[in-house]
Amino acid sequence: MDLSVVDPEDRWKRIFPMSFVFCVNIVLGNVSLRYIPVSFMQTIKSFTPATTVILQWLVWRKYFDWRIWASLIPIVGGILLTSITELSFNMFGFCAALFGCLATSTKTILAESLLHGYKFDSINTVYYMAPFATLILGVPAMLLEGNGIMEWFETHPSPWPALVIIFSSGVLAFCLNFSIFYVIHSTTAVTFNVAGNLKVAVAVLISWMIFKNPISGLNAVGCGITLVGCTFYGYVRHLLSQQPPGTPRTPRTPRNRMEQLLPLVNNNDKLDDKI
C-alpha cells in the first residue's frame, strides 16, 4: 500500500474533525458503561444506522430508497422497547450512549467521504487519524489521571503484566479500526453500522452469562426485533445492488456538498464516486 500525501491544511480540515469525533465516541462509550450494562449499551448503539441515515439526509442531502427508511422502523422500535423494559435503566448512561450513536454516525460519514471520495484506503486513514487521536486523548488523560498512574506504578512492583495487557489492547484497537475503515471503504457508512448491530445478540448473551445482568422477556423481544430490522436492511441493500444499470439507487454523498462542508486543498487525487 502506498502512503497518500496529504497537505497539512487538509489534515486539520478533514482528518482532525474525524479524529475528534472518534475520541468523543470512545469517551461517551466508556462513560455509559459506568451507569448501564453492556447489553443495554450495545442495544442502544443499534440506533446508529438510523442516526446515520438521518444525518446524511439532513446535513449531506443524500437520497435513500423508501425501503431503507422502512427497514429502520423495526430497528428503532426494538431499541425503544428494549429501553423501556430495561431493568437497569439509568438516564445519564442512556444519554451518554445515545450521544455516542451520533458521534459514531458522524465519524463513519466523515470516514466514508475520505475513503470513497479520495485516494484513501484503510491503512492511510488509520495512519493519519492516530496521531490526532493520541494527542486529543493523551493530554487530558495525563492531566486527569497522571497522578493515579504514578501511584499505581509505585504500589505495584511488577507492572509488566498490566503493560502487556495495555499493549495488546492497543494492537487489537488498531486491528479493529483497520477493519472498520476497510468495511466502510468496501460498502457504505449505513451498511457498516447495520452490520455492527449483529454483535448486539452476542453482547447481550455474554453480558447475561458473565455479568448476570437481568434481562426481561420484553427486553429480549426488543433486541430480537432490532436484529430482524438489521436483517431486513441487509436484504434491501442486496435488492438495490442487484438492480440493472441506470436504475435509480441509493447514491453516495454528493461530492460538491461534501466539499462545501469540508473543503480540501489537495483535490487533484479524487476518485470517481462509487455506486
Side-chain angles (χ1 to χ4, degrees):
M1 296 183 182
D2 296 330
L3 182 64
S4 300
V5 179
V6 181
D7 188 274
E9 186 175 350
D10 293 341
R11 300 184 188 185
W12 287 100
K13 287 185 176 181
R14 295 187 63 86
I15 301 176
F16 177 79
M18 184 181 68
S19 303
F20 179 79
V21 176
F22 170 79
C23 295
V24 170
N25 178 43
I26 294 176
V27 172
L28 290 175
N30 291 336
V31 169
S32 65
L33 287 176
R34 292 186 60 183
Y35 298 95
I36 59 177
V38 176
S39 57
F40 187 33
M41 190 271 283
Q42 291 294 337
T43 304
I44 297 174
K45 293 284 283 187
S46 299
F47 194 71
T48 305
T51 57
T52 303
V53 170
I54 293 172
L55 281 176
Q56 288 186 312
W57 177 62
L58 289 176
V59 181
W60 281 267
R61 303 301 181 188
K62 183 175 180 179
Y63 166 80
F64 289 94
D65 187 271
W66 68 269
R67 288 169 290 184
I68 296 292
W69 291 98
S71 67
L72 297 178
I73 295 177
I75 296 177
V76 176
I79 293 170
L80 293 177
L81 181 60
T82 303
S83 302
I84 294 174
T85 59
E86 174 59 39
L87 300 178
S88 303
F89 183 84
N90 179 278
M91 179 56 69
F92 186 79
F94 173 80
C95 292
L98 195 59
F99 280 108
C101 291
L102 294 175
T104 301
S105 299
T106 305
K107 180 198 69 175
T108 53
I109 293 172
L110 295 176
E112 182 182 0
S113 71
L114 286 175
L115 293 166
H116 286 156
Y118 303 90
K119 289 184 177 181
F120 259 64
D121 51 26
S122 54
I123 193 66
N124 276 284
T125 305
V126 175
Y127 175 81
Y128 284 109
M129 186 192 72
F132 285 124
T134 303
L135 178 65
I136 294 171
L137 291 177
V139 174
M142 293 304 297
L143 294 176
L144 298 175
E145 303 177 359
N147 293 331
I149 295 176
M150 297 305 298
E151 292 177 359
W152 186 89
F153 273 107
E154 293 175 357
T155 56
H156 290 73
S158 179
W160 293 109
L163 293 178
V164 170
I165 294 176
I166 294 174
F167 178 78
S168 301
S169 65
V171 174
L172 292 177
F174 166 78
C175 296
L176 173 63
N177 291 317
F178 178 83
S179 62
I180 287 174
F181 294 127
Y182 181 82
V183 173
I184 296 175
H185 180 266
S186 303
T187 57
T188 65
V190 180
T191 301
F192 161 76
N193 286 309
V194 170
N197 283 348
L198 295 178
K199 69 180 181 182
V200 173
V202 179
V204 171
L205 180 61
I206 294 178
S207 177
W208 175 75
M209 294 176 59
I210 298 179
F211 302 107
K212 306 299 180 182
N213 293 327
I215 301 176
S216 65
L218 289 178
N219 191 282
V221 170
C223 183
I225 293 175
T226 299
L227 294 178
V228 169
C230 297
T231 304
F232 179 62
Y233 172 86
Y235 176 70
V236 170
R237 291 292 306 185
H238 175 71
L239 290 180
L240 294 176
S241 66
Q242 297 300 316
Q243 291 181 354
T247 304
R249 293 187 291 178
T250 303
R252 298 210 184 279
T253 307
R255 178 187 296 175
N256 56 355
R257 178 65 175 171
M258 181 59 65
E259 290 177 2
Q260 181 180 354
L261 294 175
L262 296 169
L264 266 184
V265 176
N266 286 336
N267 56 1
N268 296 325
D269 294 331
K270 300 177 183 176
L271 295 175
D272 294 333
D273 291 337
K274 302 178 182 177
I275 296 181

